[in-house]
Amino acid sequence: MTEPVVENLEEVKVERKDVKGGSLASTFKLFKDVLKRDKMAMFGVVVLIFFILVAAFAPLIAPYDPYEMNRTEDGAIARLEPPSAQHWFGTTNLGRDVFSQVVMGSRIALLVGFLAAFLVTFIGTNVGLIAGYYGGAIDNFLMRVVDIMYALPFIPFVIILVALLDPSIWNIILAISLLTWRTVARIIRSQVLSVANRPFIKAAKVAGASDLRIMYKYIAPNIIPIALLEMAFMVSWAILAEASVSFIGFGDPDVISWGQILHTSFLTGAIRTAWWWVIPPGVAIVLVLVAIFFTARAFEEIVNPRLRRR
């Protein structure tokens, strides 16, 4: 009985080596190869990096305080002025610089997008990993929780959460994280069900490896690419969710976000007349979502080899 176990242990080592190479180093190498031949994916990465840099250096880029009431040469408030050399994206009804607001709003958009997507992916991946590995009653219980999460509509859930808590950007991140891990959990669970039946997992069990070691050292590396893909899509969804929640008036009133800019322009009625107040944040949202989509499409080629060009 000793020799088969030793052979299985060697198989586990070989499989683990392949997993690490295939899911970590090779993943980024494949990603770079996809970028070289897919111009749209390259466009997405460049645009995404651009917005990340804008968000990182927003206080240096913004020419005015986003809350400052700018005035004309005669001392009057520069209300609803169209784009000019002084105000590239024009001004609001209170004379605030729209360009500065859009630049500062990029920080909130990316903060919500990346942080919420990370939390959603972390929760969903762990739930899917546990459900798929253990199966049985644990799997049934976790999947029923997922079904309940699917039954809860997002916007009413946010309204109730804001009613119970103070409106803030952190509560929006909390709402997104608590509700949207469901899809990630289902996808990861289906992947784990496939990986858990592979010979090297059975060999690890025979060798006496603990459940945690098998889940996080042998199975987890196999699901990293698909988890990254889902995280990329979740970034896009989280940014759109924050903009939607802020637009309907349940965002954080103390921060500048793209959705908050659109909400203010709508309340004042300027959304129909002051196009320069509406188009810049709208275009910024669209560009970020398109950039994330094209970037995620490159990850999708890595996850699904059938999509790769030969």
Side-chain angles (χ1 to χ4, degrees):
M1 294 295 295
T2 304
E3 288 187 359
V5 174
V6 172
E7 290 177 359
N8 287 333
L9 284 172
E10 292 299 325
E11 184 181 1
V12 170
K13 292 178 181 178
V14 172
E15 290 274 5
R16 281 189 61 197
K17 183 177 180 181
D18 292 341
V19 165
K20 286 182 179 180
S23 296
L24 296 176
S26 293
T27 297
F28 293 103
K29 182 178 182 301
L30 287 172
F31 183 67
K32 290 192 294 184
D33 293 339
V34 172
L35 292 183
K36 290 179 181 178
R37 65 172 181 267
D38 191 339
K39 302 303 181 184
M40 300 306 293
M42 178 63 76
F43 168 79
V45 172
V46 170
V47 171
L48 193 56
I49 292 175
F50 169 78
F51 276 100
I52 291 174
L53 292 176
V54 169
F57 299 101
L60 301 177
I61 297 175
Y64 302 95
D65 185 324
Y67 294 103
E68 177 185 357
M69 291 186 179
N70 297 281
R71 297 180 180 274
T72 59
E73 294 181 356
D74 58 1
I77 297 177
R79 299 180 186 274
L80 296 177
E81 288 198 348
S84 62
Q86 290 76 27
H87 305 284
W88 293 355
F89 292 169
T91 61
T92 69
N93 64 321
L94 297 177
R96 293 167 178 168
D97 185 64
V98 176
F99 176 75
S100 299
Q101 291 190 342
V102 172
V103 169
M104 297 302 294
S106 64
R107 308 189 99 184
I108 297 301
L110 296 184
L111 171 65
V112 172
F114 284 106
L115 183 55
F118 172 78
L119 293 175
V120 166
T121 306
F122 178 80
I123 296 171
T125 298
N126 281 277
V127 171
L129 190 58
I130 294 171
Y133 177 77
Y134 285 106
I138 295 177
D139 183 25
N140 289 332
F141 172 75
L142 291 177
M143 288 303 101
R144 297 299 74 76
V145 173
V146 169
D147 292 339
I148 294 173
M149 292 295 104
Y150 270 109
L152 297 176
F154 178 73
I155 296 299
F157 181 79
V158 174
I159 294 174
I160 294 174
L161 190 65
V162 171
L164 295 176
L165 305 173
D166 293 331
S168 72
I169 205 67
W170 303 109
N171 290 335
I172 293 177
I173 295 175
L174 178 63
I176 295 172
S177 304
L178 289 177
L179 202 60
T180 55
W181 55 268
R182 54 200 180 184
T183 302
V184 179
R186 278 194 169 182
I187 293 174
I188 294 300
R189 171 185 173 271
S190 63
Q191 187 76 3
V192 171
L193 288 174
S194 174
V195 176
N197 291 322
R198 294 183 184 177
F200 75 98
I201 298 298
K202 297 178 180 178
K205 292 180 179 179
V206 172
S210 65
D211 291 338
L212 287 177
R213 184 180 181 85
I214 293 174
M215 284 193 295
Y216 291 101
K217 283 207 169 185
Y218 299 152
I219 298 179
N222 277 285
I223 61 177
I224 286 178
I226 196 168
L228 290 175
L229 174 62
E230 288 305 309
M231 183 175 175
F233 286 121
M234 285 298 109
V235 172
S236 177
W237 195 92
I239 292 175
L240 186 59
E242 186 280 326
S244 301
V245 170
S246 296
F247 178 72
I248 63 175
F250 291 97
D252 191 339
D254 297 326
V255 299
I256 295 291
S257 70
W258 294 335
Q260 193 73 24
I261 297 172
L262 294 173
H263 171 70
T264 306
S265 65
F266 177 77
L267 288 181
T268 60
I271 195 170
R272 297 181 178 179
T273 56
W275 57 266
W276 58 85
W277 194 356
V278 179
I279 291 180
V283 170
I285 293 173
V286 171
L287 281 177
V288 170
L289 297 185
V290 168
I292 294 172
F293 171 76
F294 286 134
T295 304
R297 193 176 67 171
F299 274 113
E300 194 171 10
E301 287 194 30
I302 297 171
V303 175
N304 189 354
R306 295 180 181 179
L307 297 177
R308 298 176 196 165
R309 301 173 185 173
R310 299 182 180 275

